[in-house]
Amino acid sequence: MEKLLNLLKSNARLTNAELAVMLGKTEAEVAADIEKLEKDGIITGYTAIVDEAVYDPNSVTALIELKVTPQSQSGYDDIAKSIASYEQVESVRLMSGAYDILVSVTGTNIREVSRFVAENLAAIDAVQSTATHFLLRSYKVNGISVTADEKDERGLMFP
Amino acid sequence: MIDYSKVLSPAIVNMKPSGIRKFFDIAQQLEGVISLGVGEPDFKTPWVVRREAINVLEKGRTSYTANAGLADLRKEAARYFSDRIGVDYDPTNEIIITVGGSEGIDLCIRSIVTAGDEVLIVQPSFVCYCPIVTLCGGVPVPIETKAENEFRLTAEELRSKITDRTKLLVLPYPNNPTGAIMRREDLEEIADVLRRTNILVLSDEIYSELTYSGKHVSIASLPDMRERTIVINGFSKAYAMTGWRLGIAAAPCELTSQMLKLHQYAIMSSPTVSQFAAITALRECDDDIVKMRDEYDMRRRYLVDAFNKLGLDCFTPQGAFYVFPCIRSTGLSSSDFCEKLVYRKKVAVVPGNAFGECGEGFVRVSYAYSLSHLREAIKRIGEFLEELKNGTLQ
Ligand SMILES: Cc1ncc(COP(=O)(O)O)c(C=O)c1O
């Protein structure tokens, strides 16, 4: 399963036939393994890794740290879920340490993201404070290096 | 003006340059060539090893080491052999840390072979054995292995080449370029032939960690074979450390003591920083080996399947990082195939006959490349074969 997961993590578009060959299994076995991974909630989806900076050079992504007062019944859950429901929000994570919730947001420009933080995050009653960090450059995303391919310094041919 | 033809050694002047030179030159001058031609890992040396080298440099530990290598490294090497192949060597006098497996091969052949000696060389194989034997005045005697035997050496093939001048057998498994391995039962047959003779074995096990079915077996581990075997191994392939230039030669002290004299005069000691880093490799990098092997293994399965689907017969190699498909069905010679492929589709592979005449009809394809690189290359080779078949090849 680990090898299958690693292959899918590096390229989710490999066909079952290709996966089967590489893992020394039958296509049916691979299909069953994937179905189990999905059913068990281990694989929760398949997405494209988009380099937003190439797609839209003006777009900005921010990581926002939130200090939050937990609610008496639901703790952090309800607040996290309501933040997650915004379309601009890419991820919401509860963290240990100096702050509680880490949110990542992408917008078409800095002003838009700043406004989102001020109007939609800072305004939540339970949010005590926010710290917004704008992303400058990504080197690796989801385990995949996204910098331009490093040059192969090996020669073309060697015995 | 000096007449160089009069001053150079004829033995060197007559030495043939490597058979891949021509293709290398062609590939070099074309734009956009993707290569499947290298014989070194695409992985970087594990970070802990690189960090140790940086530490060593920061501390300024840059002097020579003992001729045979750092005592701690030899101890780790002895532990490694005991662990992996079940053969015990005394780290004080049976192990030499060499400049790559290459130097170990050179030391071994030069310490053993004199004028008129015959050296049996399993082929197809790595290119360095014959020239060194010839330089020593020895006679290289190829033993041609066959695709139908999955390029294993058989006892019969071996027996048919032995004469009373046979001094040494070069046994290079896991094999470059075929990817063949020798299983225990195959080695036992070979050992049976050699046991009552004075023939020594140079066992080039540089790819031992890249064995995909079961554990690598060394001929040195079979009864009575330790005393007649020189084991060559190294860091290049297992730990992705080609540029560090570090190998290990292990043999009974009667042999290593002679090899060490040569090493001492030609080399002094192997690179010091590399030696310190190699201690870390042997102590801490077993997991890295497994990870790299698993990755190679998936690529191997992918390529074997892809070539067979393209109609180029390809047996499933069990070692190293090469596949060796047969290209006879195209009607082309190995050289023509490689030349056309690189000109038309800009894919560089190595003609099989660069590794001995019996490699004719095959090409060597390395999978020390990322899967996406391999997929692109396979796509181009597919187009190439298609165009060859319907005569539209430009
Ligand atoms: C079969 C074989 N032996 C030995 C070597 C030498 O490797 P190194 O000198 O880097 O240890 C190679 C390198 O390609 C090889 O393929």
Side-chain angles (χ1 to χ4, degrees), chain A residues 10-80:
Chain A
S10 69
N11 182 357
R13 299 196 62 190
L14 292 168
T15 63
N16 285 1
E18 287 173 311
L19 291 166
V21 163
M22 285 188 276
L23 297 167
K25 295 187 166 197
T26 66
E27 252 183 274
E29 283 169 332
V30 168
D33 285 352
I34 291 178
E35 199 185 318
K36 180 159 168 43
L37 286 166
E38 290 171 350
K39 214 179 259 161
D40 292 351
I42 295 170
I43 292 178
T44 54
Y46 304 86
T47 68
I49 298 168
V50 175
D51 191 334
E52 300 285 352
V54 175
Y55 179 63
D56 175 5
N58 295 319
S59 76
V60 285
T61 295
L63 295 177
I64 304 133
E65 303 168 1
L66 304 179
K67 281 194 187 144
V68 178
T69 313
Q71 306 304 103
S72 57
Q73 290 297 314
S74 61
Y76 295 98
D77 281 359
D78 285 350
I79 295 163

Side-chain angles (χ1 to χ4, degrees), chain A residues 67-144:
Chain A
K67 281 194 187 144
V68 178
T69 313
Q71 306 304 103
S72 57
Q73 290 297 314
S74 61
Y76 295 98
D77 281 359
D78 285 350
I79 295 163
K81 282 180 191 160
S82 77
I83 294 171
S85 62
Y86 289 103
E87 201 185 326
Q88 304 90 313
V89 169
E90 286 173 335
S91 68
V92 180
R93 295 179 166 103
L94 183 65
M95 310 295 288
S96 69
Y99 59 93
D100 304 306
I101 291 180
L102 181 66
V103 179
S104 84
V105 173
T106 293
T108 51
N109 57 57
I110 289 195
R111 202 137 30 89
E112 186 185 306
V113 173
S114 304
R115 182 152 8 101
F116 177 81
V117 174
E119 292 177 5
N120 299 306
L121 299 181
I124 300 173
D125 280 345
V127 171
Q128 303 158 18
S129 67
T130 67
T132 303
H133 308 275
F134 286 101
L135 189 145
L136 301 180
R137 184 170 177 197
S138 296
Y139 293 88
K140 198 176 186 185
V141 179
N142 291 350
I144 310 277

Side-chain angles (χ1 to χ4, degrees), chain A residues 158-159, chain B residues 38-40 98-105 125-129 172-177 204-207 232-237 241-248 320-322 355 364:
Chain A
F158 198 81
Chain B
V38 304
E40 60 178 319
T98 55
V99 180
S102 301
E103 194 219 346
I105 294 165
S125 61
F126 188 49
V127 294
C128 77
Y129 315 116
Y173 290 96
N175 184 274
N176 170 10
D204 183 348
E205 303 177 17
I206 198 92
Y207 290 100
I232 301 296
N233 211 315
F235 297 85
S236 289
K237 321 288 175 174
M241 289 177 70
T242 45
W244 301 70
R245 306 311 304 129
L246 222 55
I248 312 170
F321 40 56
Y322 310 102
F355 305 94
R364 188 194 74 177

Side-chain angles (χ1 to χ4, degrees), chain B residues 66-82 87-98 107 226 231 235 247-253 255-257 259-260 263 275 282:
Chain B
N67 291 129
L70 291 168
D72 277 351
L73 179 53
R74 281 180 281 143
K75 247 183 251 163
E76 287 300 328
R79 186 192 53 77
Y80 173 90
F81 283 126
S82 172
V87 184
D88 291 322
Y89 291 102
D90 183 343
T92 63
N93 62 5
E94 295 189 315
I95 286 179
I96 305 175
I97 304 302
T98 55
L107 293 181
R226 182 190 185 280
V231 173
F235 297 85
I248 312 170
C253 64
L255 294 167
T256 45
S257 58
M259 290 162 62
L260 186 60
H263 174 78
Q275 288 195 53
L282 289 173

Side-chain angles (χ1 to χ4, degrees), chain B residues 304 307-308 310-315 324-329 361-362:
Chain B
V304 169
F307 277 112
N308 283 317
L310 289 177
L312 299 183
D313 278 351
C314 184
F315 95 99
F324 203 58
C326 177
I327 50 92
R328 291 203 184 106
S329 59
F362 296 84

Side-chain angles (χ1 to χ4, degrees), chain B residues 57-368:
Chain B
L57 282 171
E58 275 179 356
K59 289 192 191 128
R61 305 178 85 171
T62 54
S63 40
Y64 293 126
T65 69
N67 291 129
L70 291 168
D72 277 351
L73 179 53
R74 281 180 281 143
K75 247 183 251 163
E76 287 300 328
R79 186 192 53 77
Y80 173 90
F81 283 126
S82 172
D83 216 52
R84 298 297 216 278
I85 60 173
V87 184
D88 291 322
Y89 291 102
D90 183 343
T92 63
N93 62 5
E94 295 189 315
I95 286 179
I96 305 175
I97 304 302
T98 55
V99 180
S102 301
E103 194 219 346
I105 294 165
D106 185 41
L107 293 181
C108 170
I109 295 175
R110 284 207 276 164
S111 302
I112 291 167
V113 178
T114 59
D117 288 346
E118 293 178 358
V119 177
L120 306 180
I121 299 175
V122 171
Q123 286 186 350
S125 61
F126 188 49
V127 294
C128 77
Y129 315 116
C130 287
I132 301 173
V133 168
T134 308
L135 199 59
C136 296
V139 182
V141 179
I143 309 183
E144 306 195 333
T145 56
K146 297 185 186 64
E148 63 257 35
N149 297 328
E150 302 200 324
F151 296 103
R152 298 190 168 100
L153 174 65
T154 67
E156 238 165 280
E157 288 163 343
L158 172 61
R159 219 178 278 116
S160 74
K161 297 287 180 176
I162 291 178
T163 73
D164 43 10
R165 283 199 299 271
T166 305
K167 196 67 163 297
L168 177 68
L169 164 68
V170 177
L171 193 66
Y173 290 96
N175 184 274
N176 170 10
T178 63
I181 62 164
M182 292 284 278
R183 300 161 302 188
R184 180 180 298 278
E185 60 263 39
D186 305 314
L187 291 170
E188 268 162 5
E189 280 187 29
I190 301 303
D192 281 343
V193 177
L194 297 175
R195 214 165 260 131
R196 287 165 306 279
T197 71
N198 263 338
I199 300 171
L200 294 167
V201 182
L202 188 180
S203 188
D204 183 348
E205 303 177 17
I206 198 92
Y207 290 100
S208 61
E209 292 292 349
L210 302 180
T211 299
Y212 305 106
S213 55
K215 239 180 109 183
H216 168 74
V217 182
S218 171
I219 195 165
S221 68
L222 302 186
D224 304 327
M225 291 308 291
R226 182 190 185 280
E227 65 179 52
R228 60 191 83 237
T229 303
I230 301 94
V231 173
I232 301 296
N233 211 315
F235 297 85
S236 289
K237 321 288 175 174
Y239 298 94
M241 289 177 70
T242 45
W244 301 70
R245 306 311 304 129
L246 222 55
I248 312 170
C253 64
E254 289 80 0
L255 294 167
T256 45
S257 58
Q258 302 306 317
M259 290 162 62
L260 186 60
K261 287 193 284 184
L262 198 49
H263 174 78
Q264 175 185 330
Y265 290 127
I267 302 287
M268 291 284 274
S269 63
S270 293
T272 302
V273 176
S274 301
Q275 288 195 53
F276 277 110
I279 295 173
T280 300
L282 289 173
R283 282 186 185 154
E284 294 180 30
C285 294
D286 283 2
D287 290 350
D288 297 85
I289 292 181
V290 173
K291 258 192 230 138
M292 290 190 268
R293 183 200 296 141
D294 283 350
E295 177 71 31
Y296 287 131
D297 189 20
M298 287 188 288
R299 301 172 186 177
R300 172 183 73 110
R301 292 168 189 273
Y302 167 74
L303 274 188
V304 169
D305 179 72
F307 277 112
N308 283 317
K309 279 188 181 137
L310 289 177
L312 299 183
D313 278 351
C314 184
F315 95 99
T316 305
Q318 302 294 347
F321 40 56
Y322 310 102
V323 297
F324 203 58
C326 177
I327 50 92
R328 291 203 184 106
S329 59
T330 63
L332 298 173
S333 69
S334 293
S335 299
D336 284 348
F337 182 95
C338 294
E339 200 172 327
K340 283 199 163 69
L341 181 62
V342 73
Y343 272 125
R344 303 299 177 233
K345 294 292 170 190
K346 303 200 169 165
V347 178
V349 298
V350 183
N353 57 334
F355 305 94
E357 275 168 38
C358 61
E360 178 55 52
F362 296 84
V363 297
R364 188 194 74 177
V365 176
S366 161
Y367 48 89

